[in-house]
Each structure stands twice: as C-alpha cells, then as structure tokens.
Amino acid sequence: MDRPAAGASYQRFPRVRIRELRDDYAKFELRDTDASIANAVRRVMIAEVPTVAIDLVEIEVNSSVLNDEFIAHRLGLIPLTSAAAMQMRFSRDCDACDGDGSCEYCSVEFLLSARATDSDQTLEVTANDLRSADPKVCPVDQARAYQQALNADYDTNAGEQRGILIVKLRRGQELRLRAIARKGIGKDHAKWSPAATVTFMYEPDIRINEELMDTLTLDEKRSWVESSPTKVFHLDPITKQVTVCDAEAYTYDDEVIKKAEAMGKPGLVEINAKEDSFIFTVETTGAITAYELIMNAIMVLRQKLDAVRLQDDDSDLGELGAHLGGP
C-alpha cells in the first residue's frame, strides 16, 4: 500500500441531497465520503444526540395492579418534546441545583394524579394525564394533539389522541406521583434515543448486459425478473425490454445473479455498490423532528472532532503523523 506524501490531506467534501423530509421521517443521500463517516453519523444520531426523558419518579400513591418500578419504567419510555435539549445542561454538570428537579437549567417536573370513580368503566391513565411545569417539554402525544386541535378537521374521538397508555385503574384505585425529566443520551439509556430507526445502504450500481438479455426468450426474461425478491427490474410487455425500475429496492441478495448463472448466462447483470455514496433513512420517536436530529447529529460529531483536534496534549498525534508521513 502506497503511503501519502508528507503533508498530504485526506480532506473530502461530502454532499447531501434531501429526498424526502417530514416531521418524523427523512430520506437523504450522502455522497463523496466513505463508510466510516456514514456510520459515525448514524451512530451519533442513535446514541449521542440528547433528548429529555423521565429519569426520577416519586410515587405517593399507587393502588393499581402494576408495581412502582413497572410504572416508573413505562414513564421513562414516554417520548417528550426535546427541541430545547441541546441548550439544557446535563444534571451531573449542573452547578445550580442538587438534582431534585427544581432547577430550570437541567430538569423538568411532571405531576400525575388519577383516581377511578366509575364502577362500570376502566380508567385509562395515559401520557396525556402528565402535567408539565415547562410547556416546552411535554409528552409528544400532547404536543401533537395540541397542533391538531388547531385544525378544523380535528377529531376529539380519534383513538390516536388518547396518548400512550401507562396503566388501567378500576373503581377505587388511584395513582399519584411526581416525576423529574432530565437531559440524557441514548448511550446511557435507550429512553433518551431520539431515533426509532436510522439505516443506510450503499447505493447500488446495476448494469444489464443488453446483448445477453436479447438472447433470452420472453418467458426466460419474465422468470429472471421474477427471481428478484424485490421489484428491481421491469419487463415492458410491448418492447419486451428489461429495465431497472428501482435500483434502491435491491437488497444485495444476489438472487438475479444466481438465476442468470443457472440459466447459463453468467454476466447477464453486473451489480456493484458505490463505495462513496449512501442512502439514509431516518425515523424519529417524535421527541425532535427528523431535521433537528440530522442537524444536531452533525453538530455533536463536529464537537467530538474539535475536541480531538484541539486537545492540549498533542504529542502522541504528532508522533503518529510523523510516522505516517515518514519514509
């Protein structure tokens, strides 16, 4: 392997193109970079972008069928709106409080009080019953219901508006508690992860050998196209030509390659992964928008790189650079 010349730069200039963007979903292309950067972005989105989640629960009364620990765990997994999380402090780093939840810089207090009085109906206690001391931090269902309530077509009886179920109470049962939400990251606990799903794939480069394809009969073409588990290829019923209709649907299963070899036509199709082009799919829990998740992940990654570049003791890095650039 050839070594780069002394002082050579590995700097690249990645390009991003947004294909689809909604509040909780994004699909974009990342080009002109390698898998290490793509995977770093993915891992930061999953585990290092901060959000707010319930971390401390003080239960005053609980006569439900679920024990205190079970309810506390369910509360922690309720996604909370976290647009302001990047500006909040981690409770371990906050010097303005003792972590009891009364600090405006690092925590938010929630109260819940519910009691079943109807003998014939089961009372469903949901995330919508939580009352936040800070209107900027509330259960995602509450925020979504509030936004939809501003629309004329809002349906107050819609099942989706009930919120995430915490516990069910029968007559005489009661639940009363105080909860403290704090800033955290998914590396510490999954409840702080803002990502429901973050995946990326190499962009496939699919090329059909037209000369070999023309030697196949119509039935052979149809059989070959149908051998793909996903609809990657299309057989035009008029022109009898096989074309690539959705390259990104290819799952690198090699089924069409195996089918071509079984038909005695090796080389019928050539499929390669573009090593510098990636397609990302991002889904959030609703704690922050997909756009905020992507931008915050880039900001966190830049902070990490700056910390390495600006560290005080750079002697080891200097020796490493001299070694790599040496003869």
Side-chain angles (χ1 to χ4, degrees):
M1 177 177 172
D2 295 334
R3 291 180 177 176
S9 174
Y10 290 96
Q11 185 177 12
R12 304 182 73 175
F13 298 92
R15 294 182 294 117
V16 175
R17 186 173 77 87
I18 303 294
R19 291 189 177 181
E20 186 177 353
L21 183 63
R22 301 195 299 268
D23 283 347
D24 59 353
Y25 177 85
K27 189 171 187 179
F28 64 92
E29 301 171 3
L30 178 63
R31 299 179 182 275
D32 297 338
T33 188
D34 54 35
S36 64
I37 298 299
N39 195 46
V41 173
R42 172 184 172 273
R43 290 175 66 91
V44 169
M45 280 195 279
I46 293 173
E48 308 239 16
V49 173
T51 62
V52 180
I54 291 175
D55 192 43
L56 175 65
V57 179
E58 298 175 355
I59 296 182
E60 300 177 19
V61 178
N62 177 23
S63 55
S64 71
V65 296
L66 300 183
N67 59 49
D68 294 355
E69 291 79 7
F70 203 118
I71 292 176
H73 184 262
R74 292 181 66 83
L75 288 169
L77 295 176
I78 295 174
L80 306 177
T81 54
S82 304
M86 291 292 285
Q87 288 73 45
M88 291 178 62
R89 302 175 184 174
F90 288 101
S91 59
R92 61 179 177 269
D93 300 329
C94 183
D95 55 3
C97 70
D98 56 3
D100 62 352
S102 59
C103 177
E104 60 179 310
Y105 301 106
C106 70
S107 56
V108 178
E109 183 180 48
F110 287 84
L111 297 176
L112 187 151
S113 179
R115 181 181 177 86
T117 57
D118 193 331
S119 60
D120 298 326
Q121 296 292 330
T122 298
L123 176 63
E124 293 186 349
V125 182
T126 70
N128 289 340
D129 295 310
L130 286 167
R131 296 295 172 258
S132 173
D134 185 349
K136 297 191 298 295
V137 180
C138 66
V140 169
D141 289 327
Q142 281 187 17
R144 188 173 295 146
Y146 175 76
Q147 291 294 329
Q148 292 178 351
L150 300 177
N151 301 330
D153 58 350
Y154 174 67
D155 182 7
T156 57
N157 296 320
E160 296 85 6
Q161 311 307 325
R162 293 182 299 178
I164 297 174
L165 182 65
I166 299 173
V167 67
K168 293 182 179 181
L169 302 178
R170 295 293 291 176
R171 186 180 66 169
Q173 294 181 339
E174 182 180 6
L175 178 63
R176 190 164 67 248
L177 57 86
R178 171 178 177 261
I180 304 301
R182 295 168 175 159
K183 175 180 177 178
I185 59 176
K187 184 186 292 187
D188 296 330
H189 194 287
K191 66 184 178 183
W192 278 300
S193 177
T197 302
V198 180
T199 63
F200 73 84
M201 63 173 288
Y202 288 99
E203 184 177 2
D205 181 19
I206 303 176
R207 300 182 183 182
I208 297 174
N209 188 321
E210 299 294 346
E211 293 183 359
L212 281 177
M213 185 63 69
D214 290 339
T215 64
L216 300 181
T217 65
L218 181 60
D219 289 339
E220 288 176 329
K221 291 179 180 179
R222 183 178 296 108
S223 175
W224 183 80
V225 169
E226 293 175 350
S227 68
S228 175
T230 54
K231 190 171 178 57
V232 179
F233 304 96
H234 173 68
L235 175 60
D236 192 302
I238 299 176
T239 64
K240 308 298 189 296
Q241 295 296 314
V242 176
T243 57
V244 179
C245 61
D246 187 3
E248 293 171 19
Y250 185 66
T251 58
Y252 295 94
D253 47 65
D254 290 342
E255 289 298 324
V256 291
I257 296 177
K258 296 175 183 176
K259 179 66 174 179
E261 293 175 350
M263 297 168 63
K265 302 291 182 179
L268 181 63
V269 64
E270 182 180 349
I271 303 176
N272 297 304
K274 298 180 181 179
E275 296 186 356
D276 64 346
S277 183
F278 309 90
I279 301 169
F280 275 78
T281 301
V282 179
E283 296 181 33
T284 75
T285 62
I288 55 178
T289 65
Y291 176 79
E292 290 172 328
L293 175 56
I294 296 169
M295 297 306 295
N296 291 350
I298 294 174
M299 185 182 303
V300 170
L301 184 58
R302 289 185 63 180
Q303 290 172 352
K304 287 179 170 291
L305 294 175
D306 287 342
V308 173
R309 183 170 57 88
L310 301 176
Q311 63 180 335
D312 294 333
D313 184 9
D314 59 354
S315 59
D316 292 340
L317 290 179
E319 293 176 2
L320 178 60
H323 173 71
L324 293 176

